[in-house]
Amino acid sequence: MRVTSDFFVSALVRRIFNAGGFAAISRRGAPEAGAVFVSVDRLDGTYDFYGPAPQSMFSDLPDGRLFERVLLQADRDMLADRLQKEGRMDPDYWLVEIEARDGQVDLPLATDEPKADPGKGVFRF
C-alpha cells in the first residue's frame, strides 16, 4: 500500500528542511493520489524537473513512489511549458519546489532494472 500524496509531500518538505534546505509546496493536488512533481531551482536560472516514473517501467511494482528526471538544467520557460502540459493531462497534481545550488536532491529515482539472463543457471560448467 502506498502512502497518500499529501503525506509523501509533507514528509519530503520536512526532510529537506531538516537537512538545512528550502522547499515549498507551490501546488496542492488531490490529497489521496495526486501525481507529485518536483522542481529543483539550481539558483543560476536553470531548473531540474522530476516526475513520477511510469509504472510500466517495472516488472514488480515498487513499494513507494519513484521519480524520473524529466528536464535537466532547463530554463524557466521550458519548465512553465512542461507544467502547463501536465496540468492539461492531470489537473490534480502536486508541485514541490526545492532550492539546491548543485541540483542534488534526495529523491527515490527509478533506475533501469537489469535484464535477467533467461539461461542463467541452466547450464553449469
Side-chain angles (χ1 to χ4, degrees), residues 13 16-17 19-20 23 26-27 33 35 40 46 51 69 78 83 85 92 97-98 104 106 110:
V13 169
I16 298 295
F17 273 109
S26 62
R27 182 176 173 130
V40 179
T46 63
R69 186 170 37 214
M78 288 175 64
L83 289 171
K85 290 177 185 174
D92 290 333
E97 296 189 41
I98 299 172
Q104 297 297 316
D106 185 22

Side-chain angles (χ1 to χ4, degrees), residues 44-58:
D44 64 357
T46 63
Y47 300 84
D48 295 344
F49 184 65
Y50 296 87
Q55 292 183 1
S56 62
M57 289 179 63
F58 312 104

Side-chain angles (χ1 to χ4, degrees), residues 35-40 48-54 57-58 65-71 79 82-83 86 93-95 107-110:
V36 178
F37 293 92
V38 177
S39 168
V40 179
D48 295 344
F49 184 65
Y50 296 87
M57 289 179 63
F58 312 104
R65 294 177 187 266
L66 294 177
F67 292 85
E68 67 177 347
R69 186 170 37 214
V70 178
L71 298 173
L79 179 61
R82 182 62 190 229
L83 289 171
E86 294 298 339
Y93 73 87
W94 291 76
L95 179 62
L107 284 175
L109 297 178

